[in-house]
Amino acid sequence: MAKTNPGRFFEDYSVGDVIKHAVPRTVSGGERALYHALYPARHALYSSDEFARAVGLPKAPLDDLAAFHIVFGKTVPDVSLNAVANLGYAEGRWHLPVYEGDTLRSESEVIGVKQNSNGKSGVVYVRTRGLNQNDDVVMDYVRWVMVRKGNLDAPAPETVIPELSKVIDPADLVIPAGLDFSKYDFDLAGETHRWGDYEIGETIDHVDGVTVEEAEHMLATRLWQNTAKVHFDSTARPDGTRLIYGGHVISMARALSFNGLANAQMIVGLNGGAHANPCLSGTTIRAWSEVLDKAETSAPGVGAIRLRLVATSGGDAFALKGEDGKYKPEVLLDLDYWALMPV
Amino acid sequence: MAKTNPGRFFEDYSVGDVIKHAVPRTVSGGERALYHALYPARHALYSSDEFARAVGLPKAPLDDLAAFHIVFGKTVPDVSLNAVANLGYAEGRWHLPVYEGDTLRSESEVIGVKQNSNGKSGVVYVRTRGLNQNDDVVMDYVRWVMVRKGNLDAPAPETVIPELSKVIDPADLVIPAGLDFSKYDFDLAGETHRWGDYEIGETIDHVDGVTVEEAEHMLATRLWQNTAKVHFDSTARPDGTRLIYGGHVISMARALSFNGLANAQMIVGLNGGAHANPCLSGTTIRAWSEVLDKAETSAPGVGAIRLRLVATSGGDAFALKGEDGKYKPEVLLDLDYWALMPV
Amino acid sequence: MAKTNPGRFFEDYSVGDVIKHAVPRTVSGGERALYHALYPARHALYSSDEFARAVGLPKAPLDDLAAFHIVFGKTVPDVSLNAVANLGYAEGRWHLPVYEGDTLRSESEVIGVKQNSNGKSGVVYVRTRGLNQNDDVVMDYVRWVMVRKGNLDAPAPETVIPELSKVIDPADLVIPAGLDFSKYDFDLAGETHRWGDYEIGETIDHVDGVTVEEAEHMLATRLWQNTAKVHFDSTARPDGTRLIYGGHVISMARALSFNGLANAQMIVGLNGGAHANPCLSGTTIRAWSEVLDKAETSAPGVGAIRLRLVATSGGDAFALKGEDGKYKPEVLLDLDYWALMPV
């Protein structure tokens, strides 16, 4: 009996299955420091315990995207080891900030399957939940991937395609308990622009760029215990390159967006996202944002802002798709998320 | 008077000498996070405080190999600064898990010397002990190295070659106090294979590979405060390469072995090891294991498994030596250790 | 209204202005571990809580230079985003050790301005203070930079050049409360040379070298939340290189100086410093020191030593300037500081 994990193939997923993913992880100040070393992250709420306390939290949480990467990383051996493509995200919500000492684990429920017409692969939809040591959900999101069939003779399952919201209703966003931006310190946060200063449709070029090295994206991807071999093994792809984990691009772009969105502090919703083109070492990642929507919240001084975050490898800011409707080759990421800002 | 450390030469070692190595080190969650960033480490007992508590420990310890690297690193300025070759290890035992907040220091006793027939160098055997802040031994091991003579006219010492066990008797392995695998969670650990599922002689190809970068091995080697200049200084070797610390290869191979040996949780004995060929940046490290022996232990639900762990730079798995009896050129490491597994 | 930070130009600084810099930062064991991974740092007082306690401190502080980098990094968006050159440092003093859990922020007072005769730029002098969560000053220093004018028509301000000490009077150095080197353990510290063993004028070649990689200096510079784009963006400079943050060279040289100055434990004063030539990835950094002065202190067993620390990219040790009085091209750094040593 082979002892190594071959991963699951398309025919191994059935709607209703719940997969308990392996390797829980306790986070410490080490993960926080590494996040700041890997990305130019400067949002004050995640950098300073004092700033976090001044807005009603017990101390600075782990960056929301670090929590996402940890939850996501655990799903890779069960969900995407034999994946051909990561197709999309939806209905992602952060329910609880993650603090030093918390232990995270993940589980995924299969909520949809659809075999492709070629009979060689299919699309699998999972809803993944990240749980802490108290079995509280810290975040959940839907992801769908295209997975190869292992046995081409396996019968096609009944097609189930889940109904997914294109955008999370702002009323469904979870505001962390106690969050209060009414005494927010804009000097310490780094910018004066508040929620009211942003207009729907406004675009922001985040100006700065970071050239990515192999060592960096591998350190990051290992830290999230993501084992997909294309990120680590230069012999795994015909061209000898290592594909950079898409989440590395998300975190890099989000950190770059500080310059212009320093007060978009907490990420609370992930409406959708596409890894438009692969990113390789040596790329200089840049970012721009577009304000897609705004909403009030019930928390004192806290507004919600819906942002498109686009990472590029250069080219003109604000150019997303060509005349053919496809992403321009320099677009790496098109992410749609909700963040919380002082009003 | 020169202030810098010239290191010791062969004639500077006498049997019975005890060397107190410098620079004690307190470990924190930072070292744990870095270990997870540097290696694809996924053994649950070291990743999750909750998992560790569920098997009877107070929380997740620092990876056993990280403890080894810290203890080893301290010995380099006194033992191997003028070493020509690291010849072997024996009788390595982990006595106590190392936890966040522990402070480690090392001392070595010279237990053997043998001048080479060429009169220019000799072999030095030391037994190194890692101690914590309570002066408890956390691990000990024997290492022997070939060291240059500084003064070729120094007389040859009386030859003393210590008697060393080829294999640690499993009865002499130290099982951490309280360890209990009787309620071990195989789902969270990542694999279903238990001690009883492994047969002596069985071999496992760990499948995955990681291509190593200069920045990574230097970060690791500095973290262990190992100062050997061949690891850091591209001008120190005639070919301009930096030699990767052998311990980096050990940790990489051990982490890769998760895939097939996820339940070989704790390393408790180091029977021997050879750094068969040097490893350089750009190498894609792979690993395979062979089950050499199995033994019962007195701890509930805990079995001991003796494993050969081989790291390679490619080539066929399971090929160790050529017809000439020498290690094949693609073999980087041949390690023989005892680990603890749920029965 | 543009949301991104354009930085300040020369005409935006007025003597007496106090700038509160953004993004406070809480430090943890993660920052300490990363400092040890990024630099071959071995000074025992910063490596071991036990060693620190034995000399009268509550536990091991964050490396003094890490505290400096954090305080300095915060000033970059306000002081040096449009800087042409970092011209000098003076009157730097460390007032309080920084411990895990401390939160640092920075503020700078403009203490001098002088427009250049070309009318296109000017020199700005700031005194920067790093403050902790109790509003205590943890360090302060003066820095002066050449900054471009944004509006060439802006009138030249009245020239104010602050009077700065060339050397901090040793009586003004702040010795950490409780520091007592009378029971200092030289074995654990790594060298036997005490304050009394160093003579004014003595030079020390620190022997070792470290070849620097892009990933390393970017990890470090991000960790200090220094956002200057020349360090990260290979498209920002015409030659496609990334300039290594000068502080990375300072920390590398200081760590290398352990070999010969292992007992120069704490840095308490920064008299001056010049980044003599730029440092790029691939450089092998070496270091040498010169004893410039010595002074007694009031703390038991503690002496002060004034050191010149020179980092080079090779060449002869101890060669600083050419016959033209300019730094030799291989000199990267010329730093003048006070450290504390056991007498």
Side-chain angles (χ1 to χ4, degrees):
Chain A
M1 166 185 163
K3 294 290 199 303
T4 48
N5 173 23
R8 286 165 184 251
F9 294 94
F10 177 68
E11 66 271 21
D12 299 326
Y13 296 92
S14 300
V15 171
D17 283 357
V18 175
I19 307 169
K20 273 182 71 175
H21 304 297
V23 192
R25 170 65 164 270
T26 305
V27 300
S28 77
E31 277 77 9
R32 185 164 87 176
L34 270 163
Y35 197 84
H36 281 89
L38 289 162
Y39 309 107
R42 298 181 70 224
H43 287 90
L45 198 151
Y46 299 89
S47 178
S48 166
D49 285 350
E50 303 295 323
F51 192 96
R53 281 181 199 121
V55 297
L57 301 184
K59 59 182 171 175
L62 187 68
D63 194 282
D64 307 309
L65 291 175
F68 170 71
H69 297 319
I70 291 174
V71 171
F72 180 99
K74 300 189 186 325
T75 71
V76 168
D78 297 314
V79 175
S80 42
L81 211 61
N82 298 308
V84 185
N86 192 36
L87 298 173
Y89 305 101
E91 299 187 358
R93 292 192 302 164
W94 281 258
H95 297 257
L96 277 177
V98 174
Y99 295 103
E100 192 184 325
D102 281 355
T103 299
L104 302 183
R105 59 188 177 85
S106 303
E107 55 184 47
S108 297
E109 181 178 350
V110 181
I111 59 168
V113 287
K114 178 181 183 300
Q115 183 165 311
N116 288 332
S117 53
N118 65 12
K120 295 181 179 171
S121 57
V123 177
V124 177
Y125 297 79
V126 296
R127 185 180 302 274
T128 296
R129 271 177 285 268
L131 302 148
N132 68 12
Q133 66 278 9
N134 305 317
D135 290 332
D136 295 323
V137 175
V138 298
M139 79 165 301
D140 66 346
Y141 63 93
V142 172
R143 175 162 78 119
W144 54 106
V145 293
M146 190 182 300
V147 183
R148 283 197 301 275
K149 289 185 76 168
N151 171 10
L152 295 184
D153 297 332
E158 189 185 348
T159 294
V160 176
I161 298 179
E163 269 192 53
L164 298 170
S165 311
K166 283 217 183 295
V167 180
I168 298 165
D169 186 322
D172 294 334
L173 297 173
V174 183
I175 314 295
L179 192 72
D180 179 349
F181 281 166
S182 52
K183 291 178 189 160
Y184 187 94
D185 186 328
F186 289 84
D187 281 343
L188 286 180
E191 291 183 352
T192 57
H193 327 303
R194 44 178 79 233
W195 184 80
D197 296 327
Y198 291 86
E199 287 176 29
I200 296 173
E202 180 174 354
T203 54
I204 303 153
D205 178 358
H206 300 300
V207 180
D208 305 310
V210 172
T211 309
V212 183
E213 298 291 315
E214 299 282 15
E216 294 168 347
H217 76 82
M218 291 198 296
L219 286 169
T221 309
R222 274 190 297 253
L223 185 61
W224 319 129
Q225 296 178 308
N226 177 330
T227 58
K229 68 179 67 178
V230 289
H231 305 319
F232 299 108
D233 181 347
S234 67
T235 70
R237 286 161 48 94
D239 62 357
T241 59
R242 276 162 277 180
L243 199 62
I244 293 178
Y245 162 50
H248 193 65
V249 178
I250 295 177
S251 278
M252 193 62 84
R254 159 71 174 164
L256 288 169
S257 79
F258 177 91
N259 197 348
L261 283 166
N263 297 318
Q265 289 282 357
M266 303 193 89
I267 300 185
V268 287
L270 176 64
N271 297 308
H275 298 289
N277 285 288
C279 183
L280 303 178
S281 169
T283 299
T284 301
I285 299 178
R286 297 176 187 285
W288 58 268
S289 293
E290 179 183 357
V291 180
L292 297 177
D293 202 358
K294 293 170 65 178
E296 297 185 347
T297 82
S298 58
V302 179
I305 186 165
R306 184 182 157 207
L307 294 159
R308 159 175 278 154
L309 173 62
V310 178
T312 74
S313 58
D316 296 333
F318 314 135
L320 191 65
K321 295 185 179 175
E323 292 183 5
D324 57 2
K326 293 185 179 167
Y327 283 112
K328 288 184 159 273
E330 67 268 25
V331 172
L332 304 172
L333 171 77
D334 180 13
L335 199 79
D336 180 340
Y337 71 103
W338 283 106
L340 301 180
M341 261 193 145
V343 294
Chain B
M1 166 184 164
K3 295 288 199 302
T4 47
N5 174 23
R8 286 166 183 249
F9 293 94
F10 177 69
E11 66 272 20
D12 299 326
Y13 296 92
S14 300
V15 171
D17 283 356
V18 175
I19 306 169
K20 273 182 71 174
H21 304 297
V23 192
R25 172 64 165 271
T26 305
V27 300
S28 77
E31 278 76 9
R32 185 163 87 175
L34 270 164
Y35 197 84
H36 282 90
L38 290 162
Y39 309 107
R42 298 182 70 225
H43 288 91
L45 198 150
Y46 299 90
S47 179
S48 165
D49 286 351
E50 303 295 322
F51 191 96
R53 281 181 200 120
V55 297
L57 301 184
K59 59 181 172 176
L62 188 68
D63 193 282
D64 307 308
L65 291 175
F68 169 72
H69 297 320
I70 291 174
V71 170
F72 181 100
K74 300 189 186 327
T75 71
V76 168
D78 298 314
V79 174
S80 41
L81 211 61
N82 297 309
V84 185
N86 193 36
L87 299 173
Y89 304 101
E91 299 186 358
R93 291 192 303 165
W94 281 258
H95 296 258
L96 278 177
V98 174
Y99 295 103
E100 192 183 326
D102 282 355
T103 299
L104 302 184
R105 58 187 178 84
S106 303
E107 55 184 47
S108 297
E109 182 180 350
V110 180
I111 59 168
V113 288
K114 178 181 182 301
Q115 183 165 312
N116 287 332
S117 54
N118 65 12
K120 295 181 179 170
S121 58
V123 177
V124 177
Y125 297 78
V126 295
R127 185 180 301 274
T128 296
R129 271 177 285 268
L131 302 148
N132 69 12
Q133 66 278 10
N134 304 317
D135 290 332
D136 296 322
V137 176
V138 299
M139 79 165 302
D140 66 347
Y141 63 91
V142 172
R143 175 162 80 118
W144 55 107
V145 293
M146 191 183 298
V147 183
R148 284 198 301 275
K149 289 185 76 168
N151 170 11
L152 295 185
D153 297 331
E158 190 185 348
T159 293
V160 177
I161 297 179
E163 270 192 53
L164 298 170
S165 311
K166 282 218 182 294
V167 180
I168 299 165
D169 186 322
D172 294 334
L173 297 173
V174 183
I175 313 295
L179 192 71
D180 179 349
F181 281 166
S182 53
K183 291 178 189 159
Y184 188 94
D185 186 328
F186 289 85
D187 281 342
L188 286 180
E191 290 183 353
T192 58
H193 327 303
R194 43 178 80 231
W195 184 81
D197 296 328
Y198 291 85
E199 287 176 31
I200 295 173
E202 180 175 354
T203 53
I204 302 152
D205 178 358
H206 300 299
V207 180
D208 305 310
V210 173
T211 308
V212 182
E213 298 292 315
E214 299 282 15
E216 294 168 348
H217 75 83
M218 292 198 295
L219 286 169
T221 309
R222 275 191 294 254
L223 186 61
W224 319 129
Q225 295 178 310
N226 178 330
T227 58
K229 68 179 67 177
V230 289
H231 306 319
F232 299 108
D233 180 348
S234 67
T235 71
R237 287 161 46 94
D239 62 358
T241 59
R242 276 162 277 180
L243 198 62
I244 294 179
Y245 162 49
H248 193 65
V249 178
I250 295 177
S251 279
M252 194 62 84
R254 159 72 174 164
L256 288 169
S257 79
F258 177 91
N259 197 349
L261 283 166
N263 296 319
Q265 289 282 358
M266 304 193 87
I267 299 184
V268 287
L270 177 64
N271 297 309
H275 298 290
N277 285 288
C279 182
L280 303 178
S281 169
T283 300
T284 301
I285 299 178
R286 297 176 187 286
W288 57 269
S289 293
E290 179 183 357
V291 179
L292 297 177
D293 202 359
K294 293 169 65 177
E296 297 184 346
T297 82
S298 58
V302 179
I305 187 166
R306 184 181 157 209
L307 294 160
R308 158 174 279 155
L309 173 62
V310 177
T312 74
S313 59
D316 295 332
F318 314 134
L320 191 65
K321 295 184 178 175
E323 291 183 6
D324 57 1
K326 293 185 179 168
Y327 284 112
K328 287 183 159 274
E330 66 267 26
V331 173
L332 304 172
L333 170 76
D334 180 13
L335 199 78
D336 180 341
Y337 71 102
W338 283 105
L340 301 180
M341 263 193 144
V343 294
Chain C
M1 166 185 162
K3 294 288 198 302
T4 48
N5 173 25
R8 288 166 184 250
F9 293 94
F10 177 69
E11 66 272 20
D12 299 326
Y13 296 92
S14 299
V15 171
D17 283 356
V18 175
I19 307 169
K20 272 183 73 175
H21 304 297
V23 193
R25 171 65 165 272
T26 305
V27 300
S28 76
E31 277 76 9
R32 186 163 85 177
L34 270 163
Y35 198 84
H36 282 90
L38 288 162
Y39 309 107
R42 298 181 70 225
H43 287 91
L45 198 150
Y46 299 90
S47 178
S48 165
D49 285 350
E50 303 295 323
F51 191 96
R53 281 181 199 122
V55 297
L57 301 184
K59 61 181 170 175
L62 188 67
D63 194 283
D64 306 309
L65 291 175
F68 169 72
H69 297 320
I70 291 173
V71 170
F72 180 100
K74 300 189 186 326
T75 72
V76 168
D78 298 314
V79 175
S80 41
L81 211 61
N82 297 310
V84 186
N86 192 37
L87 298 172
Y89 305 101
E91 299 186 358
R93 292 193 303 165
W94 281 258
H95 296 257
L96 277 177
V98 174
Y99 296 103
E100 193 183 324
D102 282 354
T103 299
L104 302 184
R105 60 187 177 84
S106 304
E107 55 183 47
S108 297
E109 182 179 349
V110 180
I111 59 168
V113 288
K114 177 181 183 299
Q115 183 164 311
N116 288 333
S117 53
N118 65 13
K120 295 182 179 170
S121 57
V123 177
V124 178
Y125 297 78
V126 295
R127 185 180 301 274
T128 296
R129 271 176 285 268
L131 301 149
N132 68 13
Q133 65 279 11
N134 305 315
D135 290 332
D136 296 322
V137 176
V138 298
M139 79 165 302
D140 66 347
Y141 63 92
V142 172
R143 176 161 79 118
W144 55 106
V145 292
M146 191 182 300
V147 182
R148 284 196 301 275
K149 289 185 76 168
N151 172 11
L152 296 184
D153 298 331
E158 189 185 348
T159 293
V160 176
I161 297 179
E163 270 192 52
L164 297 170
S165 309
K166 283 217 182 296
V167 180
I168 299 164
D169 186 322
D172 293 335
L173 298 173
V174 183
I175 314 295
L179 192 71
D180 179 349
F181 281 166
S182 52
K183 290 177 188 161
Y184 187 94
D185 186 327
F186 289 85
D187 281 343
L188 287 180
E191 290 183 352
T192 58
H193 326 304
R194 44 178 78 233
W195 183 81
D197 297 327
Y198 290 86
E199 287 177 30
I200 295 172
E202 180 175 355
T203 54
I204 302 153
D205 178 357
H206 299 300
V207 181
D208 305 309
V210 173
T211 308
V212 182
E213 298 292 315
E214 299 282 14
E216 294 168 347
H217 76 82
M218 291 199 295
L219 286 169
T221 308
R222 274 191 296 254
L223 185 61
W224 319 129
Q225 296 178 308
N226 177 331
T227 58
K229 68 178 68 177
V230 289
H231 306 319
F232 299 108
D233 181 348
S234 66
T235 70
R237 287 161 46 94
D239 62 358
T241 59
R242 277 162 276 182
L243 199 62
I244 293 179
Y245 163 49
H248 193 65
V249 178
I250 294 177
S251 279
M252 193 63 84
R254 159 72 174 163
L256 288 169
S257 79
F258 177 91
N259 197 349
L261 284 165
N263 297 319
Q265 289 282 358
M266 304 193 88
I267 299 184
V268 287
L270 177 63
N271 298 308
H275 298 290
N277 284 289
C279 182
L280 303 178
S281 170
T283 300
T284 301
I285 299 178
R286 297 176 187 285
W288 58 268
S289 292
E290 178 183 357
V291 179
L292 297 176
D293 202 358
K294 293 169 66 178
E296 296 184 349
T297 82
S298 58
V302 178
I305 186 166
R306 184 182 158 208
L307 294 159
R308 159 175 279 154
L309 172 62
V310 177
T312 74
S313 59
D316 296 332
F318 314 135
L320 191 64
K321 295 185 178 176
E323 291 184 6
D324 57 2
K326 292 184 178 168
Y327 284 112
K328 288 183 160 274
E330 67 268 24
V331 172
L332 304 173
L333 171 77
D334 180 13
L335 199 79
D336 180 340
Y337 71 102
W338 282 106
L340 301 180
M341 261 192 144
V343 293

